[in-house]
PDB file of all heavy atoms in Angstrom:
ATOM      1  N   VAL A 334      24.799  25.917   3.774  1.00 87.00           N
ATOM      2  CA  VAL A 334      25.874  25.325   3.081  1.00 87.00           C
ATOM      3  C   VAL A 334      26.377  24.072   3.770  1.00 87.00           C
ATOM      4  O   VAL A 334      26.190  23.970   5.014  1.00 87.00           O
ATOM      5  CB  VAL A 334      27.103  26.288   2.844  1.00 87.00           C
ATOM      6  CG1 VAL A 334      26.685  27.403   1.990  1.00 87.00           C
ATOM      7  CG2 VAL A 334      27.609  26.731   4.202  1.00 87.00           C
ATOM      8  N   GLN A 335      27.002  23.226   3.120  1.00 89.00           N
ATOM      9  CA  GLN A 335      27.460  21.960   3.690  1.00 89.00           C
ATOM     10  C   GLN A 335      28.464  22.245   4.819  1.00 89.00           C
ATOM     11  O   GLN A 335      29.292  23.103   4.679  1.00 89.00           O
ATOM     12  CB  GLN A 335      28.154  21.072   2.585  1.00 89.00           C
ATOM     13  CG  GLN A 335      28.555  19.682   3.135  1.00 89.00           C
ATOM     14  CD  GLN A 335      29.123  18.899   2.026  1.00 89.00           C
ATOM     15  OE1 GLN A 335      29.204  19.356   0.841  1.00 89.00           O
ATOM     16  NE2 GLN A 335      29.493  17.682   2.265  1.00 89.00           N
ATOM     17  N   GLY A 336      28.226  21.553   5.972  1.00 91.00           N
ATOM     18  CA  GLY A 336      29.145  21.818   7.149  1.00 91.00           C
ATOM     19  C   GLY A 336      28.596  22.787   8.044  1.00 91.00           C
ATOM     20  O   GLY A 336      29.106  22.997   9.237  1.00 91.00           O
ATOM     21  N   GLU A 337      27.570  23.504   7.775  1.00 92.00           N
ATOM     22  CA  GLU A 337      27.005  24.579   8.618  1.00 92.00           C
ATOM     23  C   GLU A 337      26.187  23.974   9.724  1.00 92.00           C
ATOM     24  O   GLU A 337      25.547  23.021   9.585  1.00 92.00           O
ATOM     25  CB  GLU A 337      26.017  25.486   7.780  1.00 92.00           C
ATOM     26  CG  GLU A 337      25.628  26.663   8.502  1.00 92.00           C
ATOM     27  CD  GLU A 337      25.000  27.759   7.532  1.00 92.00           C
ATOM     28  OE1 GLU A 337      24.921  27.528   6.346  1.00 92.00           O
ATOM     29  OE2 GLU A 337      24.618  28.864   8.081  1.00 92.00           O
ATOM     30  N   LYS A 338      26.440  24.580  10.924  1.00 92.00           N
ATOM     31  CA  LYS A 338      25.606  24.117  12.098  1.00 92.00           C
ATOM     32  C   LYS A 338      24.192  24.847  12.120  1.00 92.00           C
ATOM     33  O   LYS A 338      24.082  25.925  11.957  1.00 92.00           O
ATOM     34  CB  LYS A 338      26.449  24.550  13.425  1.00 92.00           C
ATOM     35  CG  LYS A 338      27.787  23.827  13.611  1.00 92.00           C
ATOM     36  CD  LYS A 338      28.455  24.326  14.861  1.00 92.00           C
ATOM     37  CE  LYS A 338      29.820  23.556  15.000  1.00 92.00           C
ATOM     38  NZ  LYS A 338      30.492  23.975  16.285  1.00 92.00           N
ATOM     39  N   VAL A 339      23.256  23.903  12.480  1.00 92.00           N
ATOM     40  CA  VAL A 339      21.836  24.402  12.436  1.00 92.00           C
ATOM     41  C   VAL A 339      21.099  23.754  13.642  1.00 92.00           C
ATOM     42  O   VAL A 339      21.655  22.994  14.466  1.00 92.00           O
ATOM     43  CB  VAL A 339      21.103  23.882  11.139  1.00 92.00           C
ATOM     44  CG1 VAL A 339      21.740  24.519   9.975  1.00 92.00           C
ATOM     45  CG2 VAL A 339      21.174  22.398  11.041  1.00 92.00           C
ATOM     46  N   ARG A 340      19.801  24.103  13.809  1.00 93.00           N
ATOM     47  CA  ARG A 340      18.996  23.559  14.779  1.00 93.00           C
ATOM     48  C   ARG A 340      17.759  22.973  14.038  1.00 93.00           C
ATOM     49  O   ARG A 340      17.242  23.496  13.058  1.00 93.00           O
ATOM     50  CB  ARG A 340      18.412  24.577  15.674  1.00 93.00           C
ATOM     51  CG  ARG A 340      19.563  25.381  16.584  1.00 93.00           C
ATOM     52  CD  ARG A 340      19.950  24.586  17.738  1.00 93.00           C
ATOM     53  NE  ARG A 340      19.000  24.679  18.895  1.00 93.00           N
ATOM     54  CZ  ARG A 340      19.113  24.129  20.026  1.00 93.00           C
ATOM     55  NH1 ARG A 340      20.206  23.346  20.248  1.00 93.00           N
ATOM     56  NH2 ARG A 340      18.249  24.238  21.004  1.00 93.00           N
ATOM     57  N   ILE A 341      17.329  21.784  14.452  1.00 94.00           N
ATOM     58  CA  ILE A 341      16.135  21.195  13.838  1.00 94.00           C
ATOM     59  C   ILE A 341      15.126  21.045  14.997  1.00 94.00           C
ATOM     60  O   ILE A 341      15.396  20.722  16.114  1.00 94.00           O
ATOM     61  CB  ILE A 341      16.462  19.836  13.181  1.00 94.00           C
ATOM     62  CG1 ILE A 341      16.921  18.750  14.283  1.00 94.00           C
ATOM     63  CG2 ILE A 341      17.495  19.978  12.136  1.00 94.00           C
ATOM     64  CD1 ILE A 341      16.991  17.408  13.661  1.00 94.00           C
ATOM     65  N   SER A 342      13.826  21.290  14.536  1.00 93.00           N
ATOM     66  CA  SER A 342      12.679  21.171  15.471  1.00 93.00           C
ATOM     67  C   SER A 342      11.451  20.926  14.664  1.00 93.00           C
ATOM     68  O   SER A 342      11.388  20.807  13.473  1.00 93.00           O
ATOM     69  CB  SER A 342      12.519  22.486  16.247  1.00 93.00           C
ATOM     70  OG  SER A 342      12.277  23.540  15.284  1.00 93.00           O
ATOM     71  N   TRP A 343      10.385  20.676  15.401  1.00 95.00           N
ATOM     72  CA  TRP A 343       9.058  20.466  14.780  1.00 95.00           C
ATOM     73  C   TRP A 343       7.894  20.761  15.733  1.00 95.00           C
ATOM     74  O   TRP A 343       8.130  20.898  16.914  1.00 95.00           O
ATOM     75  CB  TRP A 343       8.947  18.860  14.364  1.00 95.00           C
ATOM     76  CG  TRP A 343       9.332  17.896  15.600  1.00 95.00           C
ATOM     77  CD1 TRP A 343       8.519  17.556  16.655  1.00 95.00           C
ATOM     78  CD2 TRP A 343      10.645  17.411  15.775  1.00 95.00           C
ATOM     79  NE1 TRP A 343       9.203  16.808  17.482  1.00 95.00           N
ATOM     80  CE2 TRP A 343      10.524  16.644  17.067  1.00 95.00           C
ATOM     81  CE3 TRP A 343      11.829  17.396  15.157  1.00 95.00           C
ATOM     82  CZ2 TRP A 343      11.609  15.913  17.547  1.00 95.00           C
ATOM     83  CZ3 TRP A 343      12.925  16.660  15.658  1.00 95.00           C
ATOM     84  CH2 TRP A 343      12.729  15.958  16.890  1.00 95.00           C
ATOM     85  N   ASN A 344       6.734  20.873  15.188  1.00 94.00           N
ATOM     86  CA  ASN A 344       5.583  21.090  16.064  1.00 94.00           C
ATOM     87  C   ASN A 344       5.306  19.842  16.871  1.00 94.00           C
ATOM     88  O   ASN A 344       5.470  18.631  16.331  1.00 94.00           O
ATOM     89  CB  ASN A 344       4.364  21.402  15.272  1.00 94.00           C
ATOM     90  CG  ASN A 344       4.495  22.754  14.546  1.00 94.00           C
ATOM     91  OD1 ASN A 344       5.240  23.565  15.092  1.00 94.00           O
ATOM     92  ND2 ASN A 344       3.723  22.983  13.414  1.00 94.00           N
ATOM     93  N   PRO A 345       4.942  19.922  18.118  1.00 95.00           N
ATOM     94  CA  PRO A 345       4.695  18.715  18.918  1.00 95.00           C
ATOM     95  C   PRO A 345       3.730  17.746  18.314  1.00 95.00           C
ATOM     96  O   PRO A 345       3.918  16.442  18.399  1.00 95.00           O
ATOM     97  CB  PRO A 345       4.168  19.189  20.303  1.00 95.00           C
ATOM     98  CG  PRO A 345       4.712  20.603  20.358  1.00 95.00           C
ATOM     99  CD  PRO A 345       4.794  21.098  18.939  1.00 95.00           C
ATOM    100  N   GLU A 346       2.705  18.125  17.654  1.00 95.00           N
ATOM    101  CA  GLU A 346       1.725  17.254  17.064  1.00 95.00           C
ATOM    102  C   GLU A 346       2.286  16.408  15.864  1.00 95.00           C
ATOM    103  O   GLU A 346       1.700  15.517  15.426  1.00 95.00           O
ATOM    104  CB  GLU A 346       0.440  17.973  16.546  1.00 95.00           C
ATOM    105  CG  GLU A 346       0.651  19.010  15.488  1.00 95.00           C
ATOM    106  CD  GLU A 346       0.944  20.380  16.001  1.00 95.00           C
ATOM    107  OE1 GLU A 346       1.448  20.508  17.131  1.00 95.00           O
ATOM    108  OE2 GLU A 346       0.782  21.372  15.209  1.00 95.00           O
ATOM    109  N   HIS A 347       3.430  16.802  15.360  1.00 95.00           N
ATOM    110  CA  HIS A 347       4.050  16.050  14.294  1.00 95.00           C
ATOM    111  C   HIS A 347       4.996  14.948  14.763  1.00 95.00           C
ATOM    112  O   HIS A 347       5.524  14.305  13.928  1.00 95.00           O
ATOM    113  CB  HIS A 347       4.778  17.032  13.303  1.00 95.00           C
ATOM    114  CG  HIS A 347       3.857  17.979  12.561  1.00 95.00           C
ATOM    115  ND1 HIS A 347       4.201  19.217  12.154  1.00 95.00           N
ATOM    116  CD2 HIS A 347       2.595  17.765  12.182  1.00 95.00           C
ATOM    117  CE1 HIS A 347       3.268  19.798  11.460  1.00 95.00           C
ATOM    118  NE2 HIS A 347       2.161  18.935  11.453  1.00 95.00           N
ATOM    119  N   ALA A 348       5.195  14.883  16.065  1.00 95.00           N
ATOM    120  CA  ALA A 348       6.039  13.732  16.533  1.00 95.00           C
ATOM    121  C   ALA A 348       5.066  12.636  17.071  1.00 95.00           C
ATOM    122  O   ALA A 348       4.429  12.870  18.035  1.00 95.00           O
ATOM    123  CB  ALA A 348       6.930  14.239  17.671  1.00 95.00           C
ATOM    124  N   VAL A 349       5.019  11.548  16.424  1.00 95.00           N
ATOM    125  CA  VAL A 349       4.160  10.412  16.725  1.00 95.00           C
ATOM    126  C   VAL A 349       4.952   9.339  17.518  1.00 95.00           C
ATOM    127  O   VAL A 349       6.035   8.845  17.133  1.00 95.00           O
ATOM    128  CB  VAL A 349       3.701   9.784  15.394  1.00 95.00           C
ATOM    129  CG1 VAL A 349       2.718   8.661  15.730  1.00 95.00           C
ATOM    130  CG2 VAL A 349       2.955  10.884  14.617  1.00 95.00           C
ATOM    131  N   PHE A 350       4.322   9.019  18.711  1.00 95.00           N
ATOM    132  CA  PHE A 350       4.915   7.926  19.403  1.00 95.00           C
ATOM    133  C   PHE A 350       4.585   6.513  18.805  1.00 95.00           C
ATOM    134  O   PHE A 350       3.497   6.220  18.417  1.00 95.00           O
ATOM    135  CB  PHE A 350       4.264   7.820  20.855  1.00 95.00           C
ATOM    136  CG  PHE A 350       4.752   8.924  21.719  1.00 95.00           C
ATOM    137  CD1 PHE A 350       3.988  10.125  21.938  1.00 95.00           C
ATOM    138  CD2 PHE A 350       6.022   8.800  22.352  1.00 95.00           C
ATOM    139  CE1 PHE A 350       4.529  11.175  22.745  1.00 95.00           C
ATOM    140  CE2 PHE A 350       6.462   9.845  23.288  1.00 95.00           C
ATOM    141  CZ  PHE A 350       5.643  11.039  23.376  1.00 95.00           C
ATOM    142  N   VAL A 351       5.686   5.778  18.590  1.00 95.00           N
ATOM    143  CA  VAL A 351       5.512   4.404  17.917  1.00 95.00           C
ATOM    144  C   VAL A 351       6.132   3.367  18.959  1.00 95.00           C
ATOM    145  O   VAL A 351       6.767   3.745  19.806  1.00 95.00           O
ATOM    146  CB  VAL A 351       6.209   4.366  16.556  1.00 95.00           C
ATOM    147  CG1 VAL A 351       5.490   5.256  15.544  1.00 95.00           C
ATOM    148  CG2 VAL A 351       7.749   4.752  16.643  1.00 95.00           C
TER     149      VAL A 351
END
Side-chain angles (χ1 to χ4, degrees):
V334 298
Q335 187 175 359
E337 191 165 1
K338 293 181 179 180
V339 296
R340 300 276 284 179
I341 63 171
S342 61
W343 51 81
N344 294 334
E346 63 270 21
H347 290 150
V349 179
F350 286 98
V351 294

